Amino acid sequence: MASLRHEGRDSLSGIEKPAVESSEYYTQNEQPNTGNLNVRAMAPEERVRIEKSLLRKLDARCSYFVVIYILNYLDRNNIGAARLKGLQEDLKLSDTQYATCLSILYVGYILMQIPSNMFINRIPRPSLYISGVMTIWGLISTLTGMAKGFGGMVAIRFLLGFVEAAFLPGALLILSKWYTRRELTKRNAILFCGNLISNAFSSLVGAGVLSNMDGVLGHRAWRWLFYIEGAATMFVAVCAAFILPDLPTNSRGFTEEELLVAQLRMTEDVGEADSDSADMGIFDGLIMVVKDWKVYLMMLTFTAYTTGLSFNAFFPTLTGTLGLAYVPTLLLSAPPWVFACIFSLINAWHSDRKQEKFGHIVGPICMGLVGFIISMATLNKAARYVALFLQAGSYAGFIVFYSWISSSFPRPPAKRAVALAMINAFSQLGNVAGSYVWDLKANGYRNSYGIVTAMFGVTIVGCWVIRMVLVNQNKKLALGEESAWEVHDDVANQTARVEGLKSEGADLKPQIGFRYLV
């Protein structure tokens, strides 16, 4: 295909850009996969047809992330169900040692997230990377069933967190490379349904295994729980290499037209191609994130939110305060998470439709606050069970927050990758703290509920400050007083190349139209 020429005014800086042969800026792997298609002649209705086909395939393949996330959380949180059937007693763990086994996972989780996302942003086949790390964490999860004491359990949990760290920020980054800001929250919600379903599913699986496997082949039931779930993880990991998509420039299973439209959609979304400049080094994304103080504000706010949601790891134990046997306790732990999944999808869909973030985060938090207050105010079983539904529903805002991160750091991808990983990694300190928050058992965990109530209050304040900052930046963007990101010549020319492949008569919104979502 003949190289395209692009000249005009930089939409953010207002500086005239010289005409440049766009092909000179790209390696073979970096150039848009345009082939010999005459896309300029594509009719608008043909574009709509191709885009629908693209989204159908993409949604089907990305739905596999849900299966992976279910297993990710099963492997991480099944220790809570195992505790109910003798893990703590068999390993002779004190309450503090058990809390350490929970929290040490997040140490490994925190350490690996940023390097992993920096790596996954630079490789052409992220599907193979996700498949590989999933196989390893499935093996480590299986080894949990062989732990003999506190030291072995701590080592296994640390390694599990270290390897599992690659999945969530990597999946969020991959989704942000395919879906526009108007679509991303709903897809993130579908992904996080894997988290929410796992909370329900783990209780059901735990009830089945712990009730029927005790003593089989001489092993305690809680050990079989780790063996079975770890083996399932490794099987799903192998399939992931063939199912998950890679990048809009090279992913298998899509037609050439669909890949072109995928690239065009991301360019239309904010007015610039979703590519890093060839001049950027390995650590440039990290440096940009460190210099952006919005990241620190989101880190602190998200950490408070995560601390408030730390009841997740103790949910079977909190359900146990209803005073029932362990199997009914596990079974009753499931319905609140089914409710949370449905509510999260509705909340995310409405957030995408309205292109609004703050209210769709704070609303579910307020729901959770009502649940916390009920749990502190009464020991009535029915009221406390209703409160568990409200607490689980507070996860809906957590999901919207992730898409708020992606939309607040749209370009370049290297910065977005590090921002997602850094904010998510730092927020895991909330889970570390939460491991000890729920060690306060008196009066149905009343003191613990008091702490997470305070954390939700901090989260609301933090979200309001973030909103005010973004509103102020939008005003400056409208007045031309600042730019949302630095424009590089090679990326500008890749943008021009994709623009040149648009349908006749279609209008690509200039980059100057970009505004942060609040």
Side-chain angles (χ1 to χ4, degrees):
M1 175 179 288
S3 61
L4 301 170
R5 294 181 63 85
H6 177 69
E7 58 184 335
R9 181 174 298 273
D10 185 316
S11 303
L12 286 174
S13 64
I15 300 173
E16 291 289 341
K17 296 184 294 187
V20 186
E21 296 288 341
S22 61
S23 60
E24 69 186 73
Y25 284 96
Y26 307 104
T27 66
Q28 182 177 358
N29 291 331
E30 290 171 330
Q31 290 195 41
N33 182 19
T34 57
N36 297 315
L37 297 174
N38 183 14
V39 185
R40 180 171 286 279
M42 183 190 300
E45 55 271 19
E46 181 70 3
R47 157 73 189 270
V48 171
R49 183 191 65 79
I50 293 174
E51 189 164 358
K52 286 182 178 180
S53 175
L54 165 70
L55 288 175
R56 276 197 304 270
K57 293 181 181 179
L58 190 59
D59 287 341
R61 294 176 65 174
C62 287
S63 65
Y64 201 68
F65 280 129
V66 178
V67 179
I68 297 175
Y69 205 7
I70 290 173
L71 292 169
N72 180 276
Y73 250 67
L74 283 177
D75 292 336
R76 187 187 314 178
N77 289 344
N78 51 15
I79 189 172
R83 184 190 193 189
L84 295 175
K85 197 60 175 176
L87 176 145
Q88 187 170 352
E89 292 77 12
D90 289 353
L91 300 184
K92 297 179 174 60
L93 303 178
S94 67
D95 288 345
T96 301
Q97 287 177 324
Y98 175 76
T100 301
C101 290
L102 291 180
S103 62
I104 196 66
L105 179 141
Y106 297 104
V107 176
Y109 198 72
I110 290 168
L111 291 175
M112 188 57 182
Q113 286 203 34
I114 295 175
S116 176
N117 244 31
M118 291 171 63
F119 178 73
I120 203 171
N121 184 59
R122 299 180 69 88
I123 59 176
R125 294 292 306 280
S127 61
L128 295 181
Y129 178 68
I130 295 292
S131 175
V133 296
M134 188 180 182
T135 302
I136 296 172
W137 95 55
L139 177 61
I140 295 172
S141 179
T142 303
L143 295 176
T144 308
M146 301 179 183
K148 302 299 183 183
F150 174 64
M153 182 62 79
V154 167
I156 290 170
R157 295 283 292 177
F158 173 81
L159 291 174
L160 182 62
F162 191 81
V163 179
E164 278 196 351
F167 171 67
L168 180 58
L172 292 170
L173 179 63
I174 292 171
L175 291 175
S176 73
K177 288 178 175 288
W178 285 93
Y179 291 105
T180 67
R181 294 184 301 160
R182 187 170 292 276
E183 302 164 338
L184 188 59
T185 305
K186 183 168 64 178
R187 268 65 180 197
N188 282 352
I190 294 172
L191 168 65
F192 275 88
C193 277
N195 174 354
L196 302 176
I197 292 171
S198 70
N199 285 292
F201 190 60
S202 63
S203 299
L204 300 177
V205 171
V209 174
L210 296 176
S211 298
N212 301 300
M213 299 293 290
D214 201 26
V216 175
L217 299 180
H219 295 285
R220 292 295 307 273
W222 67 263
R223 295 187 185 275
W224 278 110
L225 184 64
F226 292 108
Y227 298 155
I228 293 171
E229 293 181 357
T233 297
M234 288 187 281
F235 172 76
V236 170
V238 174
C239 299
F242 303 96
I243 296 175
L244 295 180
D246 290 307
L247 303 175
T249 55
N250 67 352
S251 191
R252 298 169 299 172
F254 297 96
T255 66
E256 201 169 7
E257 294 96 332
E258 288 166 348
L259 291 179
L260 266 176
V261 170
Q263 298 167 52
L264 183 56
R265 280 160 34 86
M266 299 310 297
T267 303
E268 290 172 336
D269 191 33
V270 299
E272 182 172 295
D274 193 30
S275 300
D276 293 315
S277 171
D279 298 330
M280 291 181 62
I282 296 176
F283 297 102
D284 282 6
L286 177 62
I287 293 171
M288 284 186 282
V289 166
V290 170
K291 291 180 178 179
D292 192 333
W293 66 280
K294 292 198 304 294
V295 172
Y296 302 102
L297 186 55
M298 286 191 163
M299 284 167 60
L300 294 173
T301 303
F302 209 39
T303 301
Y305 203 168
T306 304
T307 306
L309 292 172
S310 59
F311 62 83
N312 165 55
F314 292 83
F315 208 78
T317 302
L318 295 176
T319 309
T321 62
L322 301 177
L324 303 174
Y326 77 90
V327 172
T329 293
L330 290 175
L331 294 176
L332 286 175
S333 296
W337 295 111
V338 175
F339 164 76
C341 182
I342 296 171
F343 178 65
S344 295
L345 289 171
I346 295 172
N347 187 61
W349 169 81
H350 195 260
S351 175
D352 274 345
R353 183 179 182 186
K354 297 297 184 182
Q355 290 292 277
E356 196 274 346
K357 303 298 181 185
F358 175 78
H360 292 83
I361 296 173
V362 172
I365 290 176
C366 292
M367 174 190 291
L369 283 173
V370 173
F372 292 161
I373 293 170
I374 292 174
S375 296
M376 288 188 289
T378 181
L379 294 177
N380 178 272
K381 292 182 180 181
R384 291 178 71 84
Y385 190 55
V386 170
L388 292 176
F389 281 81
L390 300 177
Q391 292 165 31
S394 63
Y395 257 88
F398 188 73
I399 295 168
V400 177
F401 202 113
Y402 273 109
S403 66
W404 208 11
I405 297 171
S406 296
S407 65
S408 298
F409 307 98
R411 298 290 186 272
K415 181 179 181 181
R416 187 171 73 246
V418 176
L420 281 166
M422 182 176 289
I423 295 170
N424 189 63
F426 189 83
S427 73
Q428 300 311 308
L429 294 175
N431 283 318
V432 175
S435 300
Y436 300 95
V437 165
W438 295 98
D439 197 28
L440 307 172
K441 300 180 180 179
N443 299 316
Y445 294 91
R446 183 173 295 169
N447 292 334
S448 300
Y449 276 119
I451 293 172
V452 295
T453 297
M455 289 298 99
F456 269 10
V458 172
T459 305
I460 292 173
V461 173
C463 288
W464 181 82
V465 174
I466 293 169
R467 183 180 186 279
M468 291 299 101
V469 169
L470 295 179
V471 167
N472 184 57
Q473 288 194 317
N474 280 341
K475 291 179 180 178
K476 292 181 178 180
L477 287 173
L479 296 173
E481 295 178 0
E482 67 175 41
S483 56
W485 59 85
E486 182 182 356
V487 178
H488 293 267
D489 286 341
D490 55 343
V491 179
N493 282 278
Q494 183 174 350
T495 303
R497 186 181 182 91
V498 177
E499 284 182 34
L501 300 175
K502 271 190 71 70
S503 306
E504 287 286 359
D507 178 32
L508 180 65
K509 293 183 179 180
Q511 195 173 9
I512 198 171
F514 170 80
R515 296 292 183 270
Y516 293 105
L517 301 179
V518 295

